[in-house]
C-alpha cells in the first residue's frame, strides 16, 4: 500500500519525505488555507522535491471552470493530480479531463455508488473519507471493502485512496482491505512509528551494554 501525506505544510512534507516512506501528497482547500503563501507557490514548492502524485483541488463548481482550473494546475508539474469534488458537474469534468490525459482524484466520496461513477469516467484516484463517516456513526471502513470489491469485479484501474484518516488503526485496516493508498495526516504518521515496548526494549539494550562495556 502506498502512503501519501495529507497536508499542505511544505516543511512537514519535506521531513517525512526524507524518511523514504511517502509516495505522494494530498492537499485540500482547508489544508492550503492554513499555510502561508499562494496556492500555486505551495504546490510548486511541493512538486520541486516530491517525485510522486500531488493532489491539488479545484475551487470552481461548474464543469467549465473546473476544467480550466485543472488545466492550469496540471501545467505546474507532470505529477499534479487534480482533485475534483464528487458532483454531477465534477463527473463531467473528470470525463473530459481523462480524455485530455489529465489525472484526477475524485474527492468527498461517501458511497460505493459515487466511487463507481468516478471509476466509470476514468478517475485515476477516488478518495473515500472514512473518518467523516465514522464521525456520523457509520463504519467508514466498510465503504473501502465495498469499493475494493466493485473495482475488482470490473477491473477498474482507479486507485482507492483511503482519506480522512484519524488514527493508526485506520491505516492498518486500509491495508487489510486492499486499499491502494492511505493518505495520512502527519500526526498519525508520527504515531505509526511508536510502540512502548520498542522504547523499553531499546533502553534495556543500551543499559545492559553500558553495564558490561562502559
Ligand atoms: C483527503 O484527501 C482529505 O484531504 C482529507 O483526508 C480530509 O480529512 P479530514 O476529514 O480529516 O478533513
Amino acid at each position: 500500500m502506498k502512503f501519501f501525506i495529507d497536508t499542505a505544510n511544505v516543511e512537514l512534507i519535506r521531513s517525512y519525505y526524507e524518511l523514504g516512506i511517502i509516495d505522494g501528497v494530498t492537499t485540500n482547500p482547508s489544508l492550503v488555507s492554513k499555510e502561508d503563501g499562494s496556492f500555486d507557490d505551495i504546490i510548486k514548492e511541493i512538486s520541486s522535491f516530491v517525485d510522486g502524485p500531488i493532489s491539488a483541488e479545484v475551487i470552481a463548481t461548474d464543469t467549465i471552470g473546473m476544467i480550466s482550473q485543472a488545466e492550469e494546475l496540471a501545467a505546474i508539474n507532470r505529477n499534479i493530480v487534480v482533485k475534483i469534488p464528487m458532483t454531477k458537474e465534477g463527473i463531467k469534468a473528470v470525463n473530459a479531463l481523462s480524455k485530455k490525459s489529465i489525472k484526477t482524484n475524485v474527492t468527498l466520496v461517501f458511497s460505493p455508488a459515487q466511487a463507481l461513477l468516478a471509476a466509470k469516467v476514468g478517475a485515476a484516484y477516488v478518495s473515500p473519507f472514512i473518518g467523516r463517516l465514522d464521525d456520523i456513526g457509520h463504519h467508514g471502513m466498510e465503504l473501502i471493502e465495498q469499493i475494493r470489491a466493485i473495482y475488482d469485479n470490473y477491473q477498474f484501474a482507479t486507485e482507492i485512496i483511503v482519506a480522512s484518516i484519524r488514527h493508526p488503526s485506520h491505516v492498518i485496516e486500509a491495508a487489510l482491505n486492499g486499499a491502494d493508498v492511505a493518505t495520512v495526516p502527519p500526526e498519525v504518521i508520527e504515531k505509526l512509528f511508536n510502540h512502548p515496548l520498542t522504547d523499553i526494549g531499546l533502553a534495556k539494550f543500551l543499559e545492559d551494554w553500558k553495564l558490561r562495556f562502559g
Side-chain angles (χ1 to χ4, degrees), residues 6 26-28 31 83 107 127 129 132 163-166 183:
D6 195 28
T26 53
T27 67
N28 67 38
L31 292 172
K83 246 179 164 179
T107 190
S127 289
F129 279 32
R132 294 193 193 186
S164 187
I165 281 182
R166 302 270 196 260
T183 190

